[in-house]
Amino acid sequence: MSETDQKQRHVGRLVRATGQGLARAVRSTPSRKAGFALVMFGVAAVGVIIGVLLGAHTDADVGPFRAEMSITPSVVGDSEVAIPPLGSLHLNSHDGPTHLSVNLGALDQGRTEALLDDPAGITRASQTALDDVKEGLIRLVMRTVAVSVLCAMVLAALIFRNVRRVAWSGFIALAIVASSLGTAAATLRPNSIEEPRYEGLLVNAPAVVGDARAIADNYGRYAEQLQHIVSNVSRIYTTVSTLPVYQPAPGTTSVLHVSDLHLSPTAWSMIRTVVEQFGIDVVVDTGDVTDWGSEPEASYVASISLLKVPYVYIRGNHDSVATSAAVARQSNAVVLDNGVATVAGLTFAGIGDPRFTPDKETSPAGSGNSKQTAERVIGTGQQLATTIKAADRPVDIALVHDPASAVALTGTCPLVLAGHTHKREVSMLAPVPGGMPTRMMVEGSTGGAGLRGLKDEKPLPLAMSVLYFDENKVLQAYDDIQVGGPGQAQVTLERKVIKDEQPTPSEGQHAPPTPR
């Protein structure tokens, strides 16, 4: 027998011995018990999932609505409040493997008629909304536990046909459901209702989300915010225009930040909608309203005068002197070029981009991403910082086109608005000794990068933001609004509340200017 054959026989004996040992281990009592326990856990888990999918839902009366509440398995948790046909709210309400859905469906005819007959009915209905939701959630939790355990026991009975194993499966199912719901309860974030993400029709966003102007007064009051939402939605359903959608807080100023329209044919209609629906006091444009800065393009800015609110503008690198002059001719426009102006109670300082580079291929030397360009762009921010320090009044908001110009503005004012990158970003500039904290907010492209954006396989979303300032000119909250892109109707609104703590300065905020 050859040496190779001997090795093969030895390996064969070793494999047979190993297999026999494993077989004896599997047949042993501890292994058998562990295997049965694992199988029972799997059966119980499958039964819980089936039970949740089939029966974890209930109906509840929330104000005038007939709402359907349901729980579904999820990796991230969270909650969704659907308000057809107005849209839906997504809340980062909790963690864990359970997702809560609330569908505010049909209106109850009797309760709706009562609201119409009684002017104070909507107010009373909204005041009971929190109790209605709590009662519905209690019923939903009890139903979820009962149905899940029952499904697990029925499935165990079909598989094991053993009373003891069926009982153990029921106990395991109860533990799974209790731990899942317990995780959701332990990680509950009631204040998440103040920072919702809205998806739906843009015109309905202010009413469905609620009034961010009152956040300074209502922050931390979950019940009041929930009542506001129910009350606002009730008004939409029960009246046409006889009642106001919401009550703005006195002394609050709302600013709409737009940037990089790039001759978009759809941008102006969206801007007008936001100005009207959100009660905007002033629009701020951080540049690149055109693509080439040519004389024929100047007619594009004529839509500014249709907005009927002040329009503060600075020049971008795609905007020519002719473009800036065309904007200045609009009756409601304020063009800043290393200057300071007070508009709608807020003091703005702004400066135009030092470059004019409508075409990267034919732009003059030194206009690209070079040391010379970086020095010019950063120097622009230094010029504006000098102007702000020399101003006869404190500046509330500074405007630059390229975020690279903002570096020199840290400590000179509380907020810097920029554009240029076509990407939304919010960060804190690096602090300077003795200077105030300075937040930088870079807007995406309100025009979806204009006609050039259509060349991409996935067009950029149309982006803009609504900023809310209290009577002390302090930023309290902001809404980031995005439309899916040219030809798309999906609208997303995310509300952010300015917390007391300051965010960590973002990396890359000192990056050199980018040629766009």
Side-chain angles (χ1 to χ4, degrees), residues 203-245:
V203 294
N204 295 322
V208 176
V209 173
D211 183 16
R213 301 167 185 235
I215 283 180
D217 299 326
N218 293 339
Y219 183 70
R221 303 179 188 177
Y222 171 77
E224 288 189 17
Q225 287 297 108
L226 179 60
Q227 290 164 10
H228 287 324
I229 290 177
V230 173
S231 177
N232 292 336
V233 176
S234 301
R235 288 188 174 102
I236 292 177
Y237 273 102
T238 56
T239 68
V240 179
S241 60
T242 57
L243 291 176
V245 173

Side-chain angles (χ1 to χ4, degrees), residues 303-315:
S303 294
I304 291 175
S305 62
L306 302 177
L307 298 178
K308 307 300 182 183
V309 296
Y311 194 94
V312 181
Y313 163 85
I314 61 168
R315 188 181 62 254

Side-chain angles (χ1 to χ4, degrees), residues 477-491:
Y478 58 92
D479 294 337
D480 284 338
I481 302 171
Q482 285 194 347
V483 177
Q488 300 185 28
Q490 182 62 47
V491 174

Side-chain angles (χ1 to χ4, degrees), residues 18-100:
T18 303
Q20 292 171 357
L22 288 174
R24 286 194 298 270
V26 169
R27 290 193 296 268
S28 66
T29 300
S31 299
R32 191 163 57 249
K33 289 182 178 180
F36 280 135
L38 185 61
V39 170
M40 281 191 293
F41 181 85
V43 170
V46 172
V48 167
I49 294 175
I50 294 174
V52 169
L53 293 176
L54 294 180
H57 55 79
T58 188
D59 292 332
D61 294 331
V62 180
F65 299 97
R66 188 64 178 170
E68 180 181 347
M69 297 181 172
S70 61
I71 291 176
T72 54
S74 171
V75 177
V76 296
D78 296 347
S79 300
E80 177 184 0
V81 182
I83 314 172
L86 305 180
S88 60
L89 293 177
H90 300 263
L91 308 174
N92 184 22
S93 57
H94 63 276
D95 299 325
T98 55
H99 177 78
L100 173 65

